[in-house]
Amino acid sequence: GNMASLMMKRKKYDFVFAAGDDFTDEDLFKVVSDDAYSVKIGLGETSAGYRMKSWRSMREMLEDFAEVSGKEQEGKEQTRANRSIKKDKERPEALKNNKKE
């Protein structure tokens, strides 16, 4: 949390993604900006904005990030990342938005 807080104060980032599966990651979730994507992996109380069921789900999503970042989308091509997002909307237990509206 201390290093993340220092980094957030020094520079404005276009995209911030913070993920963790332990209570020690809560410090990180508390210092990232409101527009950051903070993800708690697993069960338990959290300050994170989102939750994923398991580390396997997180690993798949990170693989999708790498795949999508390395190529341009053409036409209606649907990557595994797009399918995962759709699947997660249908299965709220896989990725759950923790933000209160």
Side-chain angles (χ1 to χ4, degrees), residues 89-100:
K89 287 180 182 175
E90 294 168 358
R91 282 188 15 220
E93 73 277 2
L95 175 65
K96 186 175 177 185
N97 185 336
N98 287 327
K99 295 196 183 212
K100 294 182 178 148

Side-chain angles (χ1 to χ4, degrees), residues 4-26:
S5 179
L6 183 62
M7 290 175 67
M8 298 299 287
K9 289 177 184 176
R10 288 186 176 178
K11 184 178 176 184
K12 175 73 175 153
Y13 295 92
D14 293 334
F15 179 81
V16 175
F17 182 82
D21 64 352
D22 192 82
F23 72 93
T24 59
D25 298 312
E26 291 302 316

Side-chain angles (χ1 to χ4, degrees), residues 19-22 39-43 51-55 58:
D21 64 352
D22 192 82
V39 181
K40 165 73 173 177
I41 303 165
L43 302 173
R51 178 184 304 275
M52 293 192 85
K53 188 174 181 179
S54 71
W55 60 268
M58 176 57 68

Side-chain angles (χ1 to χ4, degrees), residues 3-95:
M3 182 56 86
S5 179
L6 183 62
M7 290 175 67
M8 298 299 287
K9 289 177 184 176
R10 288 186 176 178
K11 184 178 176 184
K12 175 73 175 153
Y13 295 92
D14 293 334
F15 179 81
V16 175
F17 182 82
D21 64 352
D22 192 82
F23 72 93
T24 59
D25 298 312
E26 291 302 316
D27 292 336
L28 171 64
F29 300 148
K30 290 175 184 173
V31 299
V32 296
S33 61
D34 290 338
D35 60 346
Y37 292 88
S38 55
V39 181
K40 165 73 173 177
I41 303 165
L43 302 173
E45 298 272 332
T46 187
S47 299
Y50 298 88
R51 178 184 304 275
M52 293 192 85
K53 188 174 181 179
S54 71
W55 60 268
R56 287 180 183 95
S57 299
M58 176 57 68
R59 185 172 59 192
E60 284 182 15
M61 189 170 70
L62 292 173
E63 289 170 353
D64 293 340
F65 283 173
E67 179 182 334
V68 170
S69 69
K71 67 178 184 178
E72 292 183 14
Q73 298 284 330
E74 293 183 18
K76 293 186 177 184
E77 177 182 87
Q78 189 178 46
T79 65
R80 194 169 77 185
N82 291 334
R83 292 190 303 274
S84 293
I85 290 168
K86 183 178 179 185
K87 180 173 63 176
D88 288 341
K89 287 180 182 175
E90 294 168 358
R91 282 188 15 220
E93 73 277 2
L95 175 65

